[in-house]
PDB file of all heavy atoms in Angstrom:
ATOM      1  N   LYS K 345      56.612  33.224  41.257  1.00  0.00           N
ATOM      2  CA  LYS K 345      57.725  32.437  40.707  1.00  0.00           C
ATOM      3  C   LYS K 345      57.464  31.905  39.312  1.00  0.00           C
ATOM      4  O   LYS K 345      58.383  31.523  38.605  1.00  0.00           O
ATOM      5  CB  LYS K 345      57.990  31.196  41.593  1.00  0.00           C
ATOM      6  CG  LYS K 345      58.816  31.439  42.816  1.00  0.00           C
ATOM      7  CD  LYS K 345      59.058  30.120  43.545  1.00  0.00           C
ATOM      8  CE  LYS K 345      59.884  29.114  42.775  1.00  0.00           C
ATOM      9  NZ  LYS K 345      61.312  29.140  43.054  1.00  0.00           N
ATOM     10  N   ARG K 347      55.788  29.142  39.089  1.00  0.00           N
ATOM     11  CA  ARG K 347      56.083  27.735  39.387  1.00  0.00           C
ATOM     12  C   ARG K 347      54.890  26.855  39.025  1.00  0.00           C
ATOM     13  O   ARG K 347      53.753  27.185  39.335  1.00  0.00           O
ATOM     14  CB  ARG K 347      56.377  27.617  40.885  1.00  0.00           C
ATOM     15  CG  ARG K 347      56.738  26.203  41.378  1.00  0.00           C
ATOM     16  CD  ARG K 347      57.152  26.317  42.833  1.00  0.00           C
ATOM     17  NE  ARG K 347      57.375  25.081  43.510  1.00  0.00           N
ATOM     18  CZ  ARG K 347      58.580  24.667  43.942  1.00  0.00           C
ATOM     19  NH1 ARG K 347      59.641  25.385  43.687  1.00  0.00           N
ATOM     20  NH2 ARG K 347      58.703  23.556  44.621  1.00  0.00           N
ATOM     21  N   ASN K 351      54.134  21.180  41.709  1.00  0.00           N
ATOM     22  CA  ASN K 351      55.429  21.030  42.366  1.00  0.00           C
ATOM     23  C   ASN K 351      55.316  21.554  43.799  1.00  0.00           C
ATOM     24  O   ASN K 351      55.299  22.751  44.018  1.00  0.00           O
ATOM     25  CB  ASN K 351      56.485  21.810  41.580  1.00  0.00           C
ATOM     26  CG  ASN K 351      57.898  21.547  42.083  1.00  0.00           C
ATOM     27  OD1 ASN K 351      58.098  20.704  42.960  1.00  0.00           O
ATOM     28  ND2 ASN K 351      58.863  22.270  41.548  1.00  0.00           N
ATOM     29  N   PRO K 352      55.226  20.644  44.798  1.00  0.00           N
ATOM     30  CA  PRO K 352      54.907  21.070  46.164  1.00  0.00           C
ATOM     31  C   PRO K 352      56.010  21.893  46.820  1.00  0.00           C
ATOM     32  O   PRO K 352      57.160  21.879  46.382  1.00  0.00           O
ATOM     33  CB  PRO K 352      54.715  19.739  46.894  1.00  0.00           C
ATOM     34  CG  PRO K 352      55.482  18.749  46.106  1.00  0.00           C
ATOM     35  CD  PRO K 352      55.439  19.196  44.682  1.00  0.00           C
ATOM     36  N   LEU K 353      55.629  22.587  47.893  1.00  0.00           N
ATOM     37  CA  LEU K 353      56.556  23.476  48.603  1.00  0.00           C
ATOM     38  C   LEU K 353      56.979  22.873  49.935  1.00  0.00           C
ATOM     39  O   LEU K 353      56.266  22.043  50.501  1.00  0.00           O
ATOM     40  CB  LEU K 353      55.865  24.816  48.887  1.00  0.00           C
ATOM     41  CG  LEU K 353      55.182  25.497  47.711  1.00  0.00           C
ATOM     42  CD1 LEU K 353      54.547  26.807  48.181  1.00  0.00           C
ATOM     43  CD2 LEU K 353      56.168  25.755  46.591  1.00  0.00           C
ATOM     44  N   ILE K 354      58.110  23.327  50.439  1.00  0.00           N
ATOM     45  CA  ILE K 354      58.582  22.889  51.753  1.00  0.00           C
ATOM     46  C   ILE K 354      58.024  23.821  52.829  1.00  0.00           C
ATOM     47  O   ILE K 354      58.021  25.035  52.657  1.00  0.00           O
ATOM     48  CB  ILE K 354      60.126  22.883  51.771  1.00  0.00           C
ATOM     49  CG1 ILE K 354      60.649  21.775  50.840  1.00  0.00           C
ATOM     50  CG2 ILE K 354      60.652  22.712  53.197  1.00  0.00           C
ATOM     51  CD1 ILE K 354      62.134  21.854  50.557  1.00  0.00           C
ATOM     52  N   THR K 387      65.056  18.273  54.761  1.00  0.00           N
ATOM     53  CA  THR K 387      63.595  18.297  54.666  1.00  0.00           C
ATOM     54  C   THR K 387      63.065  16.878  54.742  1.00  0.00           C
ATOM     55  O   THR K 387      63.492  16.015  53.965  1.00  0.00           O
ATOM     56  CB  THR K 387      63.162  18.947  53.328  1.00  0.00           C
ATOM     57  OG1 THR K 387      63.594  20.305  53.326  1.00  0.00           O
ATOM     58  CG2 THR K 387      61.649  18.884  53.153  1.00  0.00           C
ATOM     59  N   ILE K 389      59.963  14.252  54.339  1.00  0.00           N
ATOM     60  CA  ILE K 389      58.629  14.034  53.778  1.00  0.00           C
ATOM     61  C   ILE K 389      57.872  13.138  54.762  1.00  0.00           C
ATOM     62  O   ILE K 389      58.308  12.016  55.050  1.00  0.00           O
ATOM     63  CB  ILE K 389      58.694  13.362  52.386  1.00  0.00           C
ATOM     64  CG1 ILE K 389      59.573  14.172  51.421  1.00  0.00           C
ATOM     65  CG2 ILE K 389      57.284  13.153  51.827  1.00  0.00           C
ATOM     66  CD1 ILE K 389      59.104  15.557  51.102  1.00  0.00           C
ATOM     67  N   LEU K 390      56.758  13.660  55.269  1.00  0.00           N
ATOM     68  CA  LEU K 390      55.962  12.973  56.294  1.00  0.00           C
ATOM     69  C   LEU K 390      54.481  13.040  55.899  1.00  0.00           C
ATOM     70  O   LEU K 390      54.106  13.893  55.088  1.00  0.00           O
ATOM     71  CB  LEU K 390      56.151  13.694  57.645  1.00  0.00           C
ATOM     72  CG  LEU K 390      57.565  13.662  58.248  1.00  0.00           C
ATOM     73  CD1 LEU K 390      57.692  14.691  59.369  1.00  0.00           C
ATOM     74  CD2 LEU K 390      57.883  12.263  58.769  1.00  0.00           C
ATOM     75  N   VAL K 400      50.150  23.808  49.063  1.00  0.00           N
ATOM     76  CA  VAL K 400      51.507  23.528  49.552  1.00  0.00           C
ATOM     77  C   VAL K 400      51.936  22.137  49.123  1.00  0.00           C
ATOM     78  O   VAL K 400      53.056  21.920  48.663  1.00  0.00           O
ATOM     79  CB  VAL K 400      51.573  23.638  51.095  1.00  0.00           C
ATOM     80  CG1 VAL K 400      52.888  23.066  51.622  1.00  0.00           C
ATOM     81  CG2 VAL K 400      51.407  25.077  51.542  1.00  0.00           C
ATOM     82  N   THR K 401      51.040  21.166  49.272  1.00  0.00           N
ATOM     83  CA  THR K 401      51.397  19.771  49.020  1.00  0.00           C
ATOM     84  C   THR K 401      51.055  19.352  47.593  1.00  0.00           C
ATOM     85  O   THR K 401      51.287  18.203  47.214  1.00  0.00           O
ATOM     86  CB  THR K 401      50.646  18.840  49.985  1.00  0.00           C
ATOM     87  OG1 THR K 401      49.242  19.027  49.788  1.00  0.00           O
ATOM     88  CG2 THR K 401      50.975  19.153  51.425  1.00  0.00           C
ATOM     89  N   LEU K 404      49.224  16.142  47.332  1.00  0.00           N
ATOM     90  CA  LEU K 404      49.804  14.885  47.844  1.00  0.00           C
ATOM     91  C   LEU K 404      49.350  14.671  49.297  1.00  0.00           C
ATOM     92  O   LEU K 404      49.050  15.631  50.002  1.00  0.00           O
ATOM     93  CB  LEU K 404      51.341  14.946  47.803  1.00  0.00           C
ATOM     94  CG  LEU K 404      52.011  15.017  46.433  1.00  0.00           C
ATOM     95  CD1 LEU K 404      53.516  15.244  46.596  1.00  0.00           C
ATOM     96  CD2 LEU K 404      51.759  13.721  45.670  1.00  0.00           C
ATOM     97  N   THR K 406      51.300  13.824  51.543  1.00  0.00           N
ATOM     98  CA  THR K 406      52.510  14.058  52.353  1.00  0.00           C
ATOM     99  C   THR K 406      52.908  15.536  52.311  1.00  0.00           C
ATOM    100  O   THR K 406      52.477  16.284  51.447  1.00  0.00           O
ATOM    101  CB  THR K 406      53.681  13.237  51.792  1.00  0.00           C
ATOM    102  OG1 THR K 406      53.804  13.519  50.396  1.00  0.00           O
ATOM    103  CG2 THR K 406      53.471  11.750  51.992  1.00  0.00           C
ATOM    104  N   VAL K 407      53.770  15.902  53.277  1.00  0.00           N
ATOM    105  CA  VAL K 407      54.272  17.278  53.318  1.00  0.00           C
ATOM    106  C   VAL K 407      55.779  17.254  53.590  1.00  0.00           C
ATOM    107  O   VAL K 407      56.270  16.394  54.316  1.00  0.00           O
ATOM    108  CB  VAL K 407      53.528  18.092  54.416  1.00  0.00           C
ATOM    109  CG1 VAL K 407      53.767  17.538  55.810  1.00  0.00           C
ATOM    110  CG2 VAL K 407      53.904  19.575  54.365  1.00  0.00           C
ATOM    111  N   GLY K 408      56.510  18.171  52.972  1.00  0.00           N
ATOM    112  CA  GLY K 408      57.947  18.327  53.248  1.00  0.00           C
ATOM    113  C   GLY K 408      58.110  19.381  54.338  1.00  0.00           C
ATOM    114  O   GLY K 408      57.566  20.475  54.222  1.00  0.00           O
ATOM    115  N   ALA K 430      57.811  27.751  51.833  1.00  0.00           N
ATOM    116  CA  ALA K 430      58.771  28.549  51.073  1.00  0.00           C
ATOM    117  C   ALA K 430      59.592  27.703  50.111  1.00  0.00           C
ATOM    118  O   ALA K 430      60.365  26.851  50.545  1.00  0.00           O
ATOM    119  CB  ALA K 430      59.711  29.288  52.018  1.00  0.00           C
ATOM    120  N   PRO K 431      59.447  27.944  48.829  1.00  0.00           N
ATOM    121  CA  PRO K 431      60.412  27.398  47.864  1.00  0.00           C
ATOM    122  C   PRO K 431      61.562  28.397  47.755  1.00  0.00           C
ATOM    123  O   PRO K 431      61.554  29.419  48.452  1.00  0.00           O
ATOM    124  CB  PRO K 431      59.610  27.377  46.565  1.00  0.00           C
ATOM    125  CG  PRO K 431      58.701  28.567  46.679  1.00  0.00           C
ATOM    126  CD  PRO K 431      58.412  28.750  48.169  1.00  0.00           C
ATOM    127  N   SER K 432      62.525  28.115  46.907  1.00  0.00           N
ATOM    128  CA  SER K 432      63.600  29.075  46.691  1.00  0.00           C
ATOM    129  C   SER K 432      63.026  30.330  46.020  1.00  0.00           C
ATOM    130  O   SER K 432      62.090  30.247  45.229  1.00  0.00           O
ATOM    131  CB  SER K 432      64.679  28.438  45.830  1.00  0.00           C
ATOM    132  OG  SER K 432      64.090  27.821  44.705  1.00  0.00           O
ATOM    133  N   ASN K 434      63.542  32.343  43.602  1.00  0.00           N
ATOM    134  CA  ASN K 434      63.977  32.682  42.242  1.00  0.00           C
ATOM    135  C   ASN K 434      62.784  32.517  41.300  1.00  0.00           C
ATOM    136  O   ASN K 434      61.801  31.879  41.665  1.00  0.00           O
ATOM    137  CB  ASN K 434      65.103  31.734  41.810  1.00  0.00           C
ATOM    138  CG  ASN K 434      64.723  30.282  42.012  1.00  0.00           C
ATOM    139  OD1 ASN K 434      64.286  29.892  43.094  1.00  0.00           O
ATOM    140  ND2 ASN K 434      64.849  29.481  40.979  1.00  0.00           N
ATOM    141  N   GLU K 469      70.198  23.905  48.064  1.00  0.00           N
ATOM    142  CA  GLU K 469      69.003  23.681  48.858  1.00  0.00           C
ATOM    143  C   GLU K 469      69.161  22.506  49.837  1.00  0.00           C
ATOM    144  O   GLU K 469      70.144  21.773  49.795  1.00  0.00           O
ATOM    145  CB  GLU K 469      67.803  23.401  47.940  1.00  0.00           C
ATOM    146  CG  GLU K 469      67.415  24.554  47.028  1.00  0.00           C
ATOM    147  CD  GLU K 469      68.233  24.616  45.760  1.00  0.00           C
ATOM    148  OE1 GLU K 469      69.277  23.934  45.664  1.00  0.00           O
ATOM    149  OE2 GLU K 469      67.829  25.359  44.843  1.00  0.00           O
ATOM    150  N   SER K 470      68.103  22.338  50.640  1.00  0.00           N
ATOM    151  CA  SER K 470      68.099  21.253  51.621  1.00  0.00           C
ATOM    152  C   SER K 470      68.039  19.889  50.929  1.00  0.00           C
ATOM    153  O   SER K 470      67.581  19.768  49.797  1.00  0.00           O
ATOM    154  CB  SER K 470      66.884  21.396  52.544  1.00  0.00           C
ATOM    155  OG  SER K 470      65.685  21.317  51.796  1.00  0.00           O
ATOM    156  N   VAL K 472      66.190  16.486  50.523  1.00  0.00           N
ATOM    157  CA  VAL K 472      64.803  16.050  50.730  1.00  0.00           C
ATOM    158  C   VAL K 472      64.812  14.529  50.888  1.00  0.00           C
ATOM    159  O   VAL K 472      65.318  13.815  50.018  1.00  0.00           O
ATOM    160  CB  VAL K 472      63.903  16.451  49.537  1.00  0.00           C
ATOM    161  CG1 VAL K 472      62.474  15.939  49.749  1.00  0.00           C
ATOM    162  CG2 VAL K 472      63.897  17.971  49.350  1.00  0.00           C
ATOM    163  N   LEU K 483      65.321  11.969  48.015  1.00  0.00           N
ATOM    164  CA  LEU K 483      64.716  12.391  46.753  1.00  0.00           C
ATOM    165  C   LEU K 483      65.531  13.494  46.087  1.00  0.00           C
ATOM    166  O   LEU K 483      65.487  13.657  44.873  1.00  0.00           O
ATOM    167  CB  LEU K 483      63.295  12.912  46.991  1.00  0.00           C
ATOM    168  CG  LEU K 483      62.308  11.941  47.631  1.00  0.00           C
ATOM    169  CD1 LEU K 483      60.954  12.620  47.827  1.00  0.00           C
ATOM    170  CD2 LEU K 483      62.138  10.702  46.754  1.00  0.00           C
ATOM    171  N   ARG K 484      66.206  14.287  46.919  1.00  0.00           N
ATOM    172  CA  ARG K 484      67.051  15.360  46.378  1.00  0.00           C
ATOM    173  C   ARG K 484      68.261  15.503  47.280  1.00  0.00           C
ATOM    174  O   ARG K 484      68.113  15.677  48.481  1.00  0.00           O
ATOM    175  CB  ARG K 484      66.274  16.686  46.356  1.00  0.00           C
ATOM    176  CG  ARG K 484      67.143  17.864  45.935  1.00  0.00           C
ATOM    177  CD  ARG K 484      66.359  19.173  45.846  1.00  0.00           C
ATOM    178  NE  ARG K 484      66.117  19.755  47.163  1.00  0.00           N
ATOM    179  CZ  ARG K 484      65.450  20.894  47.352  1.00  0.00           C
ATOM    180  NH1 ARG K 484      64.938  21.542  46.305  1.00  0.00           N
ATOM    181  NH2 ARG K 484      65.274  21.369  48.567  1.00  0.00           N
ATOM    182  N   ARG K 515      59.464  10.837  41.721  1.00  0.00           N
ATOM    183  CA  ARG K 515      58.702  10.794  42.967  1.00  0.00           C
ATOM    184  C   ARG K 515      58.575  12.174  43.571  1.00  0.00           C
ATOM    185  O   ARG K 515      57.610  12.490  44.225  1.00  0.00           O
ATOM    186  CB  ARG K 515      59.455   9.949  43.997  1.00  0.00           C
ATOM    187  CG  ARG K 515      59.190   8.498  43.889  1.00  0.00           C
ATOM    188  CD  ARG K 515      60.201   7.822  44.807  1.00  0.00           C
ATOM    189  NE  ARG K 515      60.146   6.393  44.656  1.00  0.00           N
ATOM    190  CZ  ARG K 515      59.454   5.595  45.463  1.00  0.00           C
ATOM    191  NH1 ARG K 515      58.759   6.095  46.446  1.00  0.00           N
ATOM    192  NH2 ARG K 515      59.473   4.313  45.275  1.00  0.00           N
ATOM    193  N   SER K 516      59.616  12.968  43.435  1.00  0.00           N
ATOM    194  CA  SER K 516      59.562  14.325  43.944  1.00  0.00           C
ATOM    195  C   SER K 516      59.227  15.179  42.731  1.00  0.00           C
ATOM    196  O   SER K 516      60.027  15.275  41.806  1.00  0.00           O
ATOM    197  CB  SER K 516      60.913  14.705  44.530  1.00  0.00           C
ATOM    198  OG  SER K 516      60.810  15.913  45.231  1.00  0.00           O
ATOM    199  N   PRO K 517      58.041  15.773  42.707  1.00  0.00           N
ATOM    200  CA  PRO K 517      57.594  16.428  41.481  1.00  0.00           C
ATOM    201  C   PRO K 517      58.583  17.459  40.948  1.00  0.00           C
ATOM    202  O   PRO K 517      58.676  17.664  39.748  1.00  0.00           O
ATOM    203  CB  PRO K 517      56.282  17.090  41.909  1.00  0.00           C
ATOM    204  CG  PRO K 517      55.806  16.250  43.046  1.00  0.00           C
ATOM    205  CD  PRO K 517      57.035  15.809  43.768  1.00  0.00           C
ATOM    206  N   GLY K 518      59.352  18.085  41.843  1.00  0.00           N
ATOM    207  CA  GLY K 518      60.304  19.111  41.404  1.00  0.00           C
ATOM    208  C   GLY K 518      61.386  18.569  40.499  1.00  0.00           C
ATOM    209  O   GLY K 518      62.063  19.318  39.808  1.00  0.00           O
ATOM    210  N   MET K 519      61.544  17.248  40.478  1.00  0.00           N
ATOM    211  CA  MET K 519      62.670  16.685  39.731  1.00  0.00           C
ATOM    212  C   MET K 519      62.447  16.655  38.226  1.00  0.00           C
ATOM    213  O   MET K 519      63.368  16.410  37.479  1.00  0.00           O
ATOM    214  CB  MET K 519      62.969  15.279  40.241  1.00  0.00           C
ATOM    215  CG  MET K 519      63.413  15.322  41.695  1.00  0.00           C
ATOM    216  SD  MET K 519      64.135  13.787  42.258  1.00  0.00           S
ATOM    217  CE  MET K 519      62.809  12.678  42.114  1.00  0.00           C
ATOM    218  N   HIS K 523      65.929  23.179  35.688  1.00  0.00           N
ATOM    219  CA  HIS K 523      66.156  23.957  36.885  1.00  0.00           C
ATOM    220  C   HIS K 523      67.493  24.636  36.843  1.00  0.00           C
ATOM    221  O   HIS K 523      68.391  24.189  36.142  1.00  0.00           O
ATOM    222  CB  HIS K 523      66.192  22.983  38.078  1.00  0.00           C
ATOM    223  CG  HIS K 523      64.987  23.073  38.947  1.00  0.00           C
ATOM    224  ND1 HIS K 523      63.990  22.160  38.888  1.00  0.00           N
ATOM    225  CD2 HIS K 523      64.641  23.966  39.904  1.00  0.00           C
ATOM    226  CE1 HIS K 523      63.066  22.473  39.795  1.00  0.00           C
ATOM    227  NE2 HIS K 523      63.436  23.560  40.410  1.00  0.00           N
ATOM    228  N   TYR K 524      67.633  25.636  37.683  1.00  0.00           N
ATOM    229  CA  TYR K 524      68.942  26.179  38.037  1.00  0.00           C
ATOM    230  C   TYR K 524      69.741  26.703  36.848  1.00  0.00           C
ATOM    231  O   TYR K 524      70.937  26.903  36.937  1.00  0.00           O
ATOM    232  CB  TYR K 524      69.809  25.129  38.746  1.00  0.00           C
ATOM    233  CG  TYR K 524      69.075  24.268  39.749  1.00  0.00           C
ATOM    234  CD1 TYR K 524      68.921  22.905  39.558  1.00  0.00           C
ATOM    235  CD2 TYR K 524      68.527  24.850  40.886  1.00  0.00           C
ATOM    236  CE1 TYR K 524      68.240  22.118  40.487  1.00  0.00           C
ATOM    237  CE2 TYR K 524      67.840  24.069  41.809  1.00  0.00           C
ATOM    238  CZ  TYR K 524      67.705  22.709  41.612  1.00  0.00           C
ATOM    239  OH  TYR K 524      67.038  21.942  42.510  1.00  0.00           O
TER     240      TYR K 524
HETATM  241  P1  LIG G 203      62.251  24.141  46.434  1.00  0.00           P
HETATM  242  O1  LIG G 203      61.504  24.580  47.651  1.00  0.00           O
HETATM  243  O2  LIG G 203      62.074  25.004  45.255  1.00  0.00           O
HETATM  244  O3  LIG G 203      63.681  23.934  46.784  1.00  0.00           O
HETATM  245  O4  LIG G 203      61.650  22.735  46.054  1.00  0.00           O
HETATM  246  C1  LIG G 203      61.152  21.853  47.044  1.00  0.00           C
HETATM  247  C2  LIG G 203      61.476  20.428  46.672  1.00  0.00           C
HETATM  248  O5  LIG G 203      60.876  19.534  47.615  1.00  0.00           O
HETATM  249  C3  LIG G 203      60.918  20.050  45.317  1.00  0.00           C
HETATM  250  O6  LIG G 203      61.845  19.216  44.654  1.00  0.00           O
HETATM  251  C4  LIG G 203      59.637  19.307  45.668  1.00  0.00           C
HETATM  252  O7  LIG G 203      59.237  18.430  44.646  1.00  0.00           O
HETATM  253  C5  LIG G 203      60.063  18.587  46.946  1.00  0.00           C
HETATM  254  N1  LIG G 203      58.896  18.284  47.784  1.00  0.00           N
HETATM  255  C6  LIG G 203      58.180  19.113  48.543  1.00  0.00           C
HETATM  256  N2  LIG G 203      57.129  18.476  49.126  1.00  0.00           N
HETATM  257  C7  LIG G 203      57.184  17.202  48.715  1.00  0.00           C
HETATM  258  C8  LIG G 203      56.382  16.037  48.957  1.00  0.00           C
HETATM  259  N3  LIG G 203      55.301  16.089  49.744  1.00  0.00           N
HETATM  260  N4  LIG G 203      56.752  14.880  48.369  1.00  0.00           N
HETATM  261  C9  LIG G 203      57.845  14.821  47.575  1.00  0.00           C
HETATM  262  N5  LIG G 203      58.638  15.885  47.295  1.00  0.00           N
HETATM  263  C10 LIG G 203      58.315  17.058  47.852  1.00  0.00           C
END
Side-chain angles (χ1 to χ4, degrees):
K345 278 183 65 94
R347 181 173 173 113
N351 188 5
L353 310 180
I354 292 168
T387 296
I389 305 297
L390 295 166
V400 168
T401 60
L404 294 173
T406 53
V407 63
S432 48
N434 52 309
E469 296 83 347
S470 61
V472 178
L483 301 179
R484 174 177 78 180
R515 275 170 187 263
S516 190
M519 296 193 297
H523 252 102
Y524 319 115

